Amino acid sequence: NQITTVMTLAQRRGLTNNTDHTYFNRDDRFYTPNFPVNAELRNTRFDTSGLASVYFQWKTEPWLKYRLRNNKKERIEHSSPVIAIAYRAGFSGIVDRSASFHHIDFTAQHLWPIGVRGDLSIKLNVGTFFNAESMTLIDMQHFPGNRTILTTQDPVGSFRLLEYYQFSTKSNYAALYGHYQFRKLLLTRLPTVRKRGIREAMFVNLLETRESQHYTEIGYGINYIFRIFRVEGVANFLDGKYQAWGIRVGIASNFEGLFN
């Protein structure tokens, strides 16, 4: 079991993009706003925002098993899901213009070996806010998005095409990430490809918030290219309607699967 406690006192200031010097001045040039677009807040701009908050998290692996090897006790990885329950609260009246809210968050993640060298990974994250007042974008629940071709995010627990703050929320939310790594699928039916340690994977990511319109991602990936990299193709949908597609390059997922 692991318990984490954090207390925060902060005064945040909104930043405006500007400069007092340029080498190429043009009248038609202007700085884009430093405040991102969010579907729920509409306007994310703020001047100052205070925060006096506490955060508690309890993380556990309730069914974790161990084995003895050479009289040494070792964990049996993936013998139990990892469960985390967190509570975060912001209090008004302590810092000027402070946000006031209560936030409960639950996360569960597990990997199941299925068949011969097949791995199914699932991560679920659900939560809610209540009595949320004077909140700015900073204190909302954010989801791991990405808008560049390179990604360093965990492949099980992150979105590939989601705008960083588009669906950040201060209401109910649910995110589900599913990732299945195959021993044989398409390319890996070729023995020469399989012997190089290359694996294929498919994944589905779902997001439900007040404004997310059933956001969905479906993708296919090739893992362990040169033993290190992964390349993924992914498409996203809003309310079942196709939006866009993209290519992502990152570090290979589930290195344990490479040696099984």
Side-chain angles (χ1 to χ4, degrees), residues 39-85:
E40 198 167 303
L41 281 187
R42 310 300 179 186
N43 181 12
T44 61
R45 180 180 296 274
F46 68 92
D47 294 322
T48 61
S49 172
L51 180 67
S53 70
V54 294
Y55 172 83
F56 301 98
Q57 185 196 65
W58 174 51
K59 183 182 289 187
T60 183
E61 296 175 84
W63 301 288
L64 182 64
K65 298 178 182 177
Y66 296 85
R67 60 173 166 240
L68 285 175
R69 177 177 292 178
N70 298 326
N71 294 321
K72 185 178 179 181
K73 188 177 181 181
E74 296 180 346
R75 291 166 47 98
I76 300 178
E77 297 296 337
H78 312 304
S79 59
S80 172
V82 179
I83 296 173
I85 301 173

Side-chain angles (χ1 to χ4, degrees), residues 46-174:
F46 68 92
D47 294 322
T48 61
S49 172
L51 180 67
S53 70
V54 294
Y55 172 83
F56 301 98
Q57 185 196 65
W58 174 51
K59 183 182 289 187
T60 183
E61 296 175 84
W63 301 288
L64 182 64
K65 298 178 182 177
Y66 296 85
R67 60 173 166 240
L68 285 175
R69 177 177 292 178
N70 298 326
N71 294 321
K72 185 178 179 181
K73 188 177 181 181
E74 296 180 346
R75 291 166 47 98
I76 300 178
E77 297 296 337
H78 312 304
S79 59
S80 172
V82 179
I83 296 173
I85 301 173
Y87 169 73
R88 184 168 60 108
F91 305 100
S92 61
I94 299 176
V95 183
D96 288 343
R97 299 184 181 181
S98 57
S100 175
F101 59 88
H102 297 274
H103 176 201
I104 297 174
D105 181 85
F106 172 85
T107 302
Q109 182 170 354
H110 193 46
L111 182 149
W112 292 269
I114 296 178
V116 180
R117 298 182 183 176
D119 294 325
L120 173 64
S121 297
I122 298 289
K123 182 176 181 179
L124 172 67
N125 177 217
V126 297
T128 188
F129 287 79
F130 52 95
N131 295 335
E133 299 176 2
S134 304
M135 288 186 66
T136 61
L137 181 71
I138 306 171
D139 302 308
M140 297 166 72
Q141 175 70 13
H142 307 295
F143 306 97
N146 185 64
R147 294 299 297 167
T148 67
I149 192 171
L150 299 177
T151 176
T152 59
Q153 301 271 15
D154 181 355
V156 185
S158 63
F159 295 96
R160 290 9 180 225
L161 300 178
L162 182 67
E163 293 279 358
Y164 297 106
Y165 303 102
Q166 181 180 4
F167 296 129
S168 296
T169 185
K170 57 178 180 178
S171 58
N172 302 333
Y173 60 87

